[in-house]
Amino acid sequence: MAWDGLPLELYERIFRNLNFSERKPLSLVCRRWNQAVFSRSLCRSLCIELSRGEWDPSEGKERVVLVDDAVIEASERDYRVVYVKWCRDSSAEVLTSINRLLAELDAKCLLEGLIIDAPLGPTLCDFIQTHGELFARIQKLQVSTEKKDRESIAGQLTLKMDQLETLYWREIAPNGHQRHKEPIFVINAPKLHSAVVKFGDSDSERRIAWHNSFMELDQCSSLKTLKVHLHPRMWTRFFKQRLDALEDITLFHKMEEELPRDWDGMFANMPNLKSIQMRRVNDLILRAINRHCPQLRILLLDNVDLTGRFLSVDRTFPQLEHFRLETAEIQSDRTLYLPNLKHLEWFNVRNQSDQSLTLAAPMLRTLRQSRDEASDFILTSKSPLEKLQLDLHESDIPEHFFQPFPNMRELSIRVSSGRPELNRMIPYFRNITEFVLIAYNAPLQCDQMLTGMFKNCNNISAMTLCGFNPNLELSFPVFAQIFSSRNLKSLKMYGLTVTGNSFPLLILPGLKNFELRQVKVMDVAFGAYVFPPDESHRVVCRQSDDCCSYSSKDCE
């Protein structure tokens, strides 16, 4: 049987193994394949634009362009999602055409998702009421509002959306409407699983016009994931309800002029939370999390002030597996017990009064720590660490790294200033297989450290050495010794200055991935040299005024 004669169901089963971007070129093979690629079962996310915005330079403003009616009438594709847009200056005829095209497409395809880009105002309310039946059964809704209509909205509109599962709502409110008291839209979606509510284009506070949201959720007993920009006057009633299904919450909230929020009552209504991500956290908030979220597995905190009483006593997060503390002030010499912790990220944390927090994490496997000369924490119990990323801003190295870590496999050290005695800690990481060393600001001489590594670490299969300016320095004998390692499979060197008498180096056959970029040899007899390729498996010194790049791909 010919390929174009197979049953449609068989094509769909074959094409299901590809994503849409990979399937799309196949639609050009023949009409049969086109039908399969754009079939309903394979195109649950396929979107059609009914209208789009284009900048009109003659009028100096955006205008809306509608899709041709014939496109919808002639298309045999089974669209599931539709995009509609109108502007504040769009005429009544444009809105009428959008409503008609949407109704025709929905009757033809039975839509499941809707994307709306429109200003806040009566036209948006009229649009929702006109297509009430469609809103009642769609599963995905995305709304982006950037401006407000010239006319204000009177009253409140409740959207009953019994089938809605995913919601994305983005608002950029004008300054004059930052302090409205009641939401304009209230969404009642009993099957909602995931919701995102944002004030702007990013998750930072730099592009947010803080206000009480124009949209609020009503009863959402099935909600599992919520990401929200939370103004002090926002969603107080929503968080008073019991949210037993909620497992993942991300909160970006405003602290300045913060109105009192019942954090205890709020987190008490979310007892099954497994993941929390927050910015601007204080002792009161973290105490509420610790008290009411016993199932918590992931806790990611940024911009934290724990200089109050929360860490003045020993604390325990019994189920926590991933903890991130970034840009934080703490004050404690007590113990934080994390019996199930596997991943720890500890960046830019300062412990006041030169105190050291004791961290008990016997199951810790991955640690990423940013360290400066201020005290932060002491890792007391021996843990099965497998991956370590250590950022050193000064010359001191945390004392808890001067103990054996037999399970360590990946070691990454980033030095931005000072001259830490890295050679002292290398003997404690005998079993590492991957090593990365990055030097940022001050020149770093790494002969002693690499010599110690060759002496103590016999299993390294991947090594990356990276300097800038270049400012990572080593002698040619140590540089040449790197190439004698028979276990090395990957070697990457960027921004190195190598000194001493140079000679040709043989690349061993086992070295599969090899890159040299801006590696300069300062030969005492012949001046500056670089490493371009000579033969297929040999790199030699060749005089040049500039540094150049070499990659194993050049030998193919």
Side-chain angles (χ1 to χ4, degrees):
M1 181 181 292
W3 273 99
D4 58 354
L6 295 176
L8 185 62
E9 294 77 9
L10 185 56
Y11 286 125
E12 293 175 355
R13 184 174 300 180
I14 295 172
F15 293 161
R16 188 171 286 113
N17 297 313
L18 306 174
N19 59 41
F20 182 74
S21 62
E22 294 170 331
R23 293 196 304 262
K24 190 174 180 180
L26 301 179
S27 65
L28 304 176
V29 174
C30 63
R31 180 172 297 180
R32 188 72 168 169
W33 284 33
N34 183 280
Q35 185 181 4
V37 166
F38 292 101
S39 63
R40 177 176 289 271
S41 62
L42 295 182
C43 295
R44 304 191 68 85
S45 300
L46 190 61
C47 179
I48 181 175
E49 287 185 338
L50 292 189
S51 56
R52 65 178 181 273
E54 290 186 356
W55 183 257
D56 188 349
S58 61
E59 298 184 10
K61 61 181 180 180
E62 190 178 33
R63 63 185 181 89
V64 173
V65 179
L66 297 173
V67 68
D68 192 343
D69 294 25
V71 173
I72 295 178
E73 295 176 0
S75 176
E76 297 180 0
R77 296 177 180 176
D78 203 355
Y79 292 100
R80 291 296 188 95
V81 182
V82 63
Y83 170 90
V84 296
K85 175 184 177 63
W86 65 88
C87 307
R88 187 173 67 168
D89 299 321
S90 296
S91 63
E93 291 77 10
V94 169
L95 297 172
T96 300
S97 298
I98 290 175
N99 288 332
R100 176 176 52 80
L101 290 170
L102 181 59
E104 293 177 3
L105 188 64
D106 185 37
K108 185 176 182 179
C109 299
L110 200 62
L111 297 170
E112 295 180 354
L114 188 57
I115 302 173
I116 304 172
D117 188 352
L120 286 164
T123 54
L124 182 57
C125 292
D126 292 343
F127 176 83
I128 293 173
Q129 292 173 328
T130 300
H131 302 282
E133 183 181 345
L134 173 60
F135 276 85
R137 59 174 166 76
I138 59 174
Q139 300 173 18
K140 302 176 183 179
L141 175 62
Q142 178 174 325
V143 178
S144 297
T145 63
E146 294 193 15
K147 294 182 179 179
K148 191 177 181 301
D149 270 351
R150 293 184 174 87
E151 301 178 29
S152 60
I153 300 176
Q156 190 176 85
L157 180 62
T158 299
L159 287 74
K160 180 67 172 167
M161 307 183 72
D162 294 333
Q163 303 302 318
L164 189 67
E165 298 178 358
T166 304
L167 172 66
Y168 178 93
W169 190 282
R170 184 194 64 128
E171 299 176 353
I172 301 181
N175 293 331
H177 295 81
Q178 293 183 11
R179 298 187 178 275
H180 67 285
K181 296 181 179 180
E182 296 294 333
I184 297 172
F185 304 97
V186 177
I187 295 181
N188 189 324
K191 293 185 178 181
L192 187 65
H193 288 173
S194 175
V196 177
V197 183
K198 300 172 63 176
F199 300 156
D201 295 322
S202 67
D203 290 327
S204 70
E205 296 180 9
R206 284 175 286 181
R207 303 186 67 180
I208 295 176
W210 286 101
H211 60 278
N212 190 15
S213 177
F214 289 98
M215 184 278 296
E216 286 196 13
L217 296 176
D218 200 358
Q219 298 294 325
C220 295
S221 57
S222 298
L223 190 64
K224 291 185 177 181
T225 301
L226 176 62
K227 183 175 184 179
V228 61
H229 290 164
L230 190 64
H231 188 272
R233 290 179 294 275
M234 178 181 172
W235 289 28
T236 302
R237 181 182 60 182
F238 173 80
F239 284 115
K240 287 182 178 179
Q241 65 176 305
R242 190 76 175 177
L243 298 167
D244 289 326
L246 194 61
E247 297 181 356
D248 182 359
I249 189 167
T250 301
L251 295 175
F252 294 87
H253 67 112
K254 187 177 182 180
M255 292 285 286
E256 291 81 1
E257 302 177 0
E258 179 86 64
L259 297 178
R261 181 177 290 276
D262 183 9
W263 294 105
D264 255 313
M266 176 176 164
F267 283 107
N269 287 326
M270 300 180 283
N272 295 312
L273 277 176
K274 293 181 174 58
S275 176
I276 299 176
Q277 182 171 354
M278 289 190 67
R279 296 187 74 251
R280 297 183 177 271
V281 178
N282 56 26
D283 293 87
L284 181 65
I285 297 173
L286 194 55
R287 183 180 290 109
I289 293 173
N290 180 251
R291 181 181 300 166
H292 299 293
C293 304
Q295 306 301 320
L296 197 63
R297 300 291 195 275
I298 300 174
L299 182 59
L300 309 178
L301 305 178
D302 183 14
N303 202 338
V304 182
D305 184 358
L306 299 178
T307 56
R309 303 293 298 171
F310 178 75
L311 292 175
S312 62
V313 297
D314 295 346
R315 291 290 182 181
T316 303
F317 285 87
Q319 302 298 327
L320 200 63
E321 297 179 359
H322 184 182
F323 181 39
R324 183 176 74 211
L325 196 62
E326 184 170 0
T327 312
E329 295 282 343
I330 66 175
Q331 184 171 2
S332 177
D333 58 359
R334 308 294 293 195
T335 301
L336 181 61
Y337 292 98
L338 303 168
N340 289 299
L341 190 71
K342 296 180 176 62
H343 309 286
L344 174 62
E345 298 174 81
W346 193 274
F347 299 131
N348 193 25
V349 180
R350 292 182 177 272
N351 199 338
Q352 294 185 354
S353 304
D354 293 326
Q355 300 181 90
S356 290
L357 173 70
T358 300
L359 186 65
M363 302 299 291
L364 187 63
R365 295 184 179 277
T366 301
L367 172 59
R368 300 175 62 199
Q369 181 181 357
S370 175
R371 168 79 175 188
D372 58 21
E373 59 184 352
S375 300
D376 44 19
F377 77 91
I378 298 175
L379 188 64
T380 57
S381 58
K382 291 186 178 180
S383 58
L385 263 182
E386 297 176 354
K387 299 179 181 180
L388 170 63
Q389 177 184 313
L390 181 61
D391 295 356
L392 298 173
H393 299 286
E394 295 294 339
S395 58
D396 58 332
I397 299 173
E399 290 297 323
H400 49 251
F401 292 125
F402 296 102
Q403 60 174 309
F405 288 96
N407 297 309
M408 183 71 69
R409 295 297 182 267
E410 299 181 20
L411 176 60
S412 176
I413 301 175
R414 302 157 192 263
V415 182
S416 61
S417 64
R419 294 179 177 270
E421 297 180 6
L422 300 176
N423 54 298
R424 287 183 55 217
M425 63 183 293
I426 290 300
Y428 298 101
F429 302 92
R430 292 178 176 272
N431 297 319
I432 60 173
T433 59
E434 298 184 24
F435 176 69
V436 177
L437 176 63
I438 300 176
Y440 286 102
N441 297 324
L444 180 65
Q445 218 290 335
C446 54
D447 271 14
Q448 277 190 305
M449 186 210 66
L450 292 177
T451 300
M453 179 170 293
F454 297 139
K455 180 180 178 180
N456 296 285
C457 308
N458 300 316
N459 300 317
I460 296 180
S461 59
M463 179 182 293
T464 299
L465 303 176
C466 181
F468 295 88
N469 297 330
N471 59 3
L472 198 59
E473 301 175 352
L474 68 160
S475 65
F476 196 90
V478 176
F479 177 76
Q481 192 174 0
I482 297 175
F483 293 85
S484 64
S485 175
R486 296 188 177 275
N487 292 326
L488 207 58
K489 302 292 188 297
S490 174
L491 176 61
K492 300 178 181 180
M493 297 182 175
Y494 314 121
L496 269 66
T497 298
V498 186
T499 60
N501 291 320
S502 60
F503 50 86
L505 295 177
L506 179 67
I507 300 179
L508 297 177
L511 193 58
K512 304 299 183 183
N513 186 8
F514 178 38
E515 293 185 22
L516 289 177
R517 300 182 183 179
Q518 293 195 348
V519 175
K520 179 180 291 187
V521 176
M522 303 300 294
D523 193 293
V524 295
F526 300 102
Y529 287 79
V530 294
F531 281 83
D534 180 36
E535 300 174 4
S536 58
H537 293 290
R538 183 176 292 272
V539 177
V540 297
C541 298
R542 185 174 295 172
Q543 192 170 10
S544 174
D545 294 331
D546 301 314
C547 294
C548 69
S549 302
Y550 167 74
S551 170
S552 56
K553 294 180 180 179
D554 297 327
C555 293
E556 297 175 357

